[in-house]
Amino acid sequence: MEARDIIISPILTEKSYQDIANKKYVFRVAKAANKTEIKLAIESIFEVSVESVHTVNCRGKKKRMGRYEGYTPAYKKAIVQLKEDSKAIAFFESLS
């Protein structure tokens, strides 16, 4: 997998906004990606140094539409902590 295939999108929620000041960012990533691949992808795309990566598999929620029911798509998210001496990710600078 290439780096652009691993990192799908940033996750922007109230909780993730609070951690931007601490250089902690949340991304939606490919389900098959492991922590090492995620770390290398973040470092190559944004040119920063990563301290740690935590991953969470998020299940889809059960939803109903009348008498029909199904699940929203499941996804994997990664919480990435940058090193203290690393520069911040430019995309998130305008958000904090």
Side-chain angles (χ1 to χ4, degrees):
M1 266 198 253
E2 290 187 26
R4 301 277 177 185
D5 296 332
I6 293 173
I7 307 301
I8 297 171
S9 65
I11 296 178
L12 303 172
T13 60
E14 289 183 24
K15 189 172 183 180
S16 68
Y17 279 128
Q18 294 172 356
D19 290 334
I20 290 174
N22 300 329
K23 294 187 179 180
K24 193 179 279 192
Y25 304 99
V26 183
F27 295 95
R28 189 174 186 164
V29 296
K31 285 185 182 183
N34 59 31
K35 291 182 181 184
T36 308
E37 292 173 338
I38 294 167
K39 179 180 178 179
L40 294 174
I42 294 290
E43 288 177 344
S44 68
I45 292 172
F46 298 109
E47 298 173 359
V48 295
S49 55
V50 175
E51 183 177 327
S52 65
V53 176
H54 299 279
T55 58
V56 180
N57 285 314
C58 300
R59 290 184 179 172
K61 294 181 181 177
K62 187 182 247 185
K63 296 288 184 179
R64 288 187 48 186
M65 199 68 158
R67 65 180 180 169
Y68 303 103
E69 61 182 35
Y71 288 90
T72 59
Y75 62 95
K76 185 174 192 176
K77 72 178 177 179
I79 300 133
V80 178
Q81 176 69 51
L82 301 183
K83 292 183 179 176
E84 290 293 323
D85 59 340
S86 175
K87 66 176 186 167
I89 296 176
F91 173 78
F92 294 96
E93 284 297 310
S94 64
L95 301 176
S96 60

